[in-house]
Amino acid sequence: MAEKDYVALNRAGWTKSNAQYTDRAAHDSWAQDEITWGQWSIPERDVRILPGLEGKDVIELGCGTAYFGSWLKRAGARHVVGVDVTPAQLETARRMDEEFGVGLELIEANAEEVPLPDDSFDVAFSEYGASIWCDPALWIAEAARLLRPGGELVFMRGSTLRILCAPDQGKTTDRLMRPQKGMYRFDWEDEDWDGVEFHPSTSGMLRILRENGFQLLDFRELFAPGDAEDHEYYDDPPAEWAKHWPAEEIWRLRLQRR
């Protein structure tokens, strides 16, 4: 099957990002003792959304430098596979895995088409990976294929409100900048990033999930903590914005049927 246009664009964007930031940030992330979420590193001990991981087989879809997969493995997962389409990110992930001795399996592949058998995993996971850079109609169907019956899907993405307040160029504002009707694919072009992000509305995402047999178990909207400051690299949305409106959201679902 021919590679879709957005795959090459996003691969190029993450190759650039890896050179500018994610490679040098990887060591500190892998060395971290606890699981944290998103732009402001909110601890999982406060969020409490992950399923039990002890003895589970986990796949991370769009793993990047695979720091989150390393946390899941150290939290008790039996086997963690990270899938990513960007060789530079995987090179960093492999170097970190060798240094820390975690024992991840890392595969170069599009998370919409993973070269692994059906019913291989207990948990599928994505933190700003496939969850925003792949077509949800495709990657969610692929997650359902890879999961065993009763398996769980957990993913994080930016909030719908944040997308609606984001202009085509410049920082997120306190005003609605785009219509919600028909929202799905967003082509970003500016001096810092050229890439394609997918973000159906909340109801649109629920429809896709239901069509693929998923039942919603939990949903969280995350705000920046009161003492948060702008991130060194991911500086949009600004911390002050995210103290008032939810910038990020986490979904947890169970596979009921195919």
Side-chain angles (χ1 to χ4, degrees), residues 215-230:
Q215 175 191 23
L216 183 65
L217 299 178
D218 205 345
F219 176 82
R220 308 290 180 84
E221 294 177 311
L222 302 186
F223 295 80
D227 60 353
E229 298 179 354
D230 287 352

PDB file of all heavy atoms in Angstrom, residues 215-230:
ATOM      1  N   GLN A 215     -15.430   0.353  24.657  1.00  0.00           N
ATOM      2  CA  GLN A 215     -16.321   0.937  25.669  1.00  0.00           C
ATOM      3  C   GLN A 215     -15.505   1.901  26.527  1.00  0.00           C
ATOM      4  O   GLN A 215     -14.436   1.549  27.033  1.00  0.00           O
ATOM      5  CB  GLN A 215     -16.905  -0.162  26.561  1.00  0.00           C
ATOM      6  CG  GLN A 215     -17.753   0.374  27.714  1.00  0.00           C
ATOM      7  CD  GLN A 215     -18.101  -0.712  28.718  1.00  0.00           C
ATOM      8  OE1 GLN A 215     -17.416  -1.719  28.812  1.00  0.00           O
ATOM      9  NE2 GLN A 215     -19.162  -0.498  29.467  1.00  0.00           N
ATOM     10  N   LEU A 216     -16.024   3.124  26.725  1.00  0.00           N
ATOM     11  CA  LEU A 216     -15.320   4.122  27.518  1.00  0.00           C
ATOM     12  C   LEU A 216     -15.365   3.755  29.001  1.00  0.00           C
ATOM     13  O   LEU A 216     -16.433   3.528  29.569  1.00  0.00           O
ATOM     14  CB  LEU A 216     -15.958   5.497  27.308  1.00  0.00           C
ATOM     15  CG  LEU A 216     -15.289   6.677  28.021  1.00  0.00           C
ATOM     16  CD1 LEU A 216     -13.885   6.904  27.475  1.00  0.00           C
ATOM     17  CD2 LEU A 216     -16.143   7.937  27.872  1.00  0.00           C
ATOM     18  N   LEU A 217     -14.184   3.702  29.620  1.00  0.00           N
ATOM     19  CA  LEU A 217     -14.072   3.429  31.049  1.00  0.00           C
ATOM     20  C   LEU A 217     -13.776   4.683  31.853  1.00  0.00           C
ATOM     21  O   LEU A 217     -14.232   4.817  32.990  1.00  0.00           O
ATOM     22  CB  LEU A 217     -12.958   2.405  31.308  1.00  0.00           C
ATOM     23  CG  LEU A 217     -13.101   1.035  30.678  1.00  0.00           C
ATOM     24  CD1 LEU A 217     -11.876   0.189  31.013  1.00  0.00           C
ATOM     25  CD2 LEU A 217     -14.373   0.340  31.152  1.00  0.00           C
ATOM     26  N   ASP A 218     -12.990   5.590  31.285  1.00  0.00           N
ATOM     27  CA  ASP A 218     -12.588   6.788  32.015  1.00  0.00           C
ATOM     28  C   ASP A 218     -12.153   7.844  31.017  1.00  0.00           C
ATOM     29  O   ASP A 218     -11.710   7.523  29.904  1.00  0.00           O
ATOM     30  CB  ASP A 218     -11.445   6.471  32.984  1.00  0.00           C
ATOM     31  CG  ASP A 218     -11.373   7.442  34.160  1.00  0.00           C
ATOM     32  OD1 ASP A 218     -12.012   8.506  34.090  1.00  0.00           O
ATOM     33  OD2 ASP A 218     -10.662   7.136  35.140  1.00  0.00           O
ATOM     34  N   PHE A 219     -12.294   9.097  31.420  1.00  0.00           N
ATOM     35  CA  PHE A 219     -11.906  10.233  30.577  1.00  0.00           C
ATOM     36  C   PHE A 219     -11.495  11.368  31.498  1.00  0.00           C
ATOM     37  O   PHE A 219     -12.235  11.715  32.417  1.00  0.00           O
ATOM     38  CB  PHE A 219     -13.084  10.663  29.693  1.00  0.00           C
ATOM     39  CG  PHE A 219     -12.811  11.890  28.858  1.00  0.00           C
ATOM     40  CD1 PHE A 219     -12.124  11.793  27.663  1.00  0.00           C
ATOM     41  CD2 PHE A 219     -13.263  13.140  29.262  1.00  0.00           C
ATOM     42  CE1 PHE A 219     -11.881  12.926  26.888  1.00  0.00           C
ATOM     43  CE2 PHE A 219     -13.030  14.266  28.496  1.00  0.00           C
ATOM     44  CZ  PHE A 219     -12.331  14.162  27.306  1.00  0.00           C
ATOM     45  N   ARG A 220     -10.301  11.922  31.273  1.00  0.00           N
ATOM     46  CA  ARG A 220      -9.805  13.006  32.129  1.00  0.00           C
ATOM     47  C   ARG A 220      -9.379  14.196  31.287  1.00  0.00           C
ATOM     48  O   ARG A 220      -8.755  14.026  30.234  1.00  0.00           O
ATOM     49  CB  ARG A 220      -8.600  12.540  32.949  1.00  0.00           C
ATOM     50  CG  ARG A 220      -8.798  11.271  33.735  1.00  0.00           C
ATOM     51  CD  ARG A 220      -9.760  11.441  34.899  1.00  0.00           C
ATOM     52  NE  ARG A 220      -9.890  10.174  35.596  1.00  0.00           N
ATOM     53  CZ  ARG A 220      -9.064   9.742  36.532  1.00  0.00           C
ATOM     54  NH1 ARG A 220      -8.020  10.473  36.884  1.00  0.00           N
ATOM     55  NH2 ARG A 220      -9.265   8.573  37.113  1.00  0.00           N
ATOM     56  N   GLU A 221      -9.690  15.395  31.775  1.00  0.00           N
ATOM     57  CA  GLU A 221      -9.182  16.627  31.188  1.00  0.00           C
ATOM     58  C   GLU A 221      -8.164  17.202  32.164  1.00  0.00           C
ATOM     59  O   GLU A 221      -8.445  17.365  33.350  1.00  0.00           O
ATOM     60  CB  GLU A 221     -10.311  17.620  30.946  1.00  0.00           C
ATOM     61  CG  GLU A 221     -11.299  17.154  29.883  1.00  0.00           C
ATOM     62  CD  GLU A 221     -12.459  18.112  29.716  1.00  0.00           C
ATOM     63  OE1 GLU A 221     -13.066  18.490  30.734  1.00  0.00           O
ATOM     64  OE2 GLU A 221     -12.759  18.468  28.567  1.00  0.00           O
ATOM     65  N   LEU A 222      -6.957  17.509  31.655  1.00  0.00           N
ATOM     66  CA  LEU A 222      -5.861  17.947  32.509  1.00  0.00           C
ATOM     67  C   LEU A 222      -5.593  19.439  32.327  1.00  0.00           C
ATOM     68  O   LEU A 222      -5.543  19.945  31.209  1.00  0.00           O
ATOM     69  CB  LEU A 222      -4.589  17.172  32.197  1.00  0.00           C
ATOM     70  CG  LEU A 222      -4.652  15.641  32.341  1.00  0.00           C
ATOM     71  CD1 LEU A 222      -3.258  15.048  32.130  1.00  0.00           C
ATOM     72  CD2 LEU A 222      -5.215  15.231  33.694  1.00  0.00           C
ATOM     73  N   PHE A 223      -5.398  20.101  33.470  1.00  0.00           N
ATOM     74  CA  PHE A 223      -5.021  21.514  33.502  1.00  0.00           C
ATOM     75  C   PHE A 223      -3.560  21.619  33.949  1.00  0.00           C
ATOM     76  O   PHE A 223      -3.032  20.731  34.618  1.00  0.00           O
ATOM     77  CB  PHE A 223      -5.889  22.280  34.494  1.00  0.00           C
ATOM     78  CG  PHE A 223      -7.345  22.352  34.133  1.00  0.00           C
ATOM     79  CD1 PHE A 223      -8.190  21.274  34.379  1.00  0.00           C
ATOM     80  CD2 PHE A 223      -7.879  23.492  33.566  1.00  0.00           C
ATOM     81  CE1 PHE A 223      -9.535  21.330  34.060  1.00  0.00           C
ATOM     82  CE2 PHE A 223      -9.230  23.564  33.245  1.00  0.00           C
ATOM     83  CZ  PHE A 223     -10.053  22.481  33.482  1.00  0.00           C
ATOM     84  N   ALA A 224      -2.912  22.713  33.613  1.00  0.00           N
ATOM     85  CA  ALA A 224      -1.575  22.974  34.129  1.00  0.00           C
ATOM     86  C   ALA A 224      -1.664  23.283  35.616  1.00  0.00           C
ATOM     87  O   ALA A 224      -2.578  23.988  36.060  1.00  0.00           O
ATOM     88  CB  ALA A 224      -0.943  24.146  33.391  1.00  0.00           C
ATOM     89  N   PRO A 225      -0.733  22.786  36.429  1.00  0.00           N
ATOM     90  CA  PRO A 225      -0.708  23.128  37.855  1.00  0.00           C
ATOM     91  C   PRO A 225      -0.522  24.630  38.059  1.00  0.00           C
ATOM     92  O   PRO A 225      -0.047  25.354  37.170  1.00  0.00           O
ATOM     93  CB  PRO A 225       0.505  22.352  38.386  1.00  0.00           C
ATOM     94  CG  PRO A 225       0.759  21.286  37.383  1.00  0.00           C
ATOM     95  CD  PRO A 225       0.332  21.846  36.051  1.00  0.00           C
ATOM     96  N   GLY A 226      -0.887  25.102  39.238  1.00  0.00           N
ATOM     97  CA  GLY A 226      -0.819  26.534  39.531  1.00  0.00           C
ATOM     98  C   GLY A 226       0.563  27.128  39.416  1.00  0.00           C
ATOM     99  O   GLY A 226       0.712  28.323  39.113  1.00  0.00           O
ATOM    100  N   ASP A 227       1.598  26.328  39.645  1.00  0.00           N
ATOM    101  CA  ASP A 227       2.967  26.838  39.568  1.00  0.00           C
ATOM    102  C   ASP A 227       3.648  26.516  38.234  1.00  0.00           C
ATOM    103  O   ASP A 227       4.859  26.697  38.087  1.00  0.00           O
ATOM    104  CB  ASP A 227       3.810  26.280  40.718  1.00  0.00           C
ATOM    105  CG  ASP A 227       3.893  24.752  40.699  1.00  0.00           C
ATOM    106  OD1 ASP A 227       3.182  24.118  39.879  1.00  0.00           O
ATOM    107  OD2 ASP A 227       4.654  24.190  41.509  1.00  0.00           O
ATOM    108  N   ALA A 228       2.884  26.041  37.268  1.00  0.00           N
ATOM    109  CA  ALA A 228       3.469  25.632  35.989  1.00  0.00           C
ATOM    110  C   ALA A 228       4.025  26.831  35.225  1.00  0.00           C
ATOM    111  O   ALA A 228       3.480  27.942  35.279  1.00  0.00           O
ATOM    112  CB  ALA A 228       2.430  24.919  35.139  1.00  0.00           C
ATOM    113  N   GLU A 229       5.115  26.576  34.499  1.00  0.00           N
ATOM    114  CA  GLU A 229       5.700  27.556  33.598  1.00  0.00           C
ATOM    115  C   GLU A 229       5.727  26.975  32.194  1.00  0.00           C
ATOM    116  O   GLU A 229       5.595  25.766  32.005  1.00  0.00           O
ATOM    117  CB  GLU A 229       7.116  27.913  34.050  1.00  0.00           C
ATOM    118  CG  GLU A 229       7.164  28.548  35.434  1.00  0.00           C
ATOM    119  CD  GLU A 229       8.579  28.867  35.871  1.00  0.00           C
ATOM    120  OE1 GLU A 229       9.519  28.483  35.135  1.00  0.00           O
ATOM    121  OE2 GLU A 229       8.741  29.495  36.933  1.00  0.00           O
ATOM    122  N   ASP A 230       5.914  27.823  31.200  1.00  0.00           N
ATOM    123  CA  ASP A 230       5.944  27.349  29.827  1.00  0.00           C
ATOM    124  C   ASP A 230       7.040  26.302  29.651  1.00  0.00           C
ATOM    125  O   ASP A 230       8.140  26.424  30.206  1.00  0.00           O
ATOM    126  CB  ASP A 230       6.197  28.505  28.857  1.00  0.00           C
ATOM    127  CG  ASP A 230       4.981  29.406  28.708  1.00  0.00           C
ATOM    128  OD1 ASP A 230       3.909  29.055  29.230  1.00  0.00           O
ATOM    129  OD2 ASP A 230       5.117  30.472  28.081  1.00  0.00           O
TER     130      ASP A 230
END
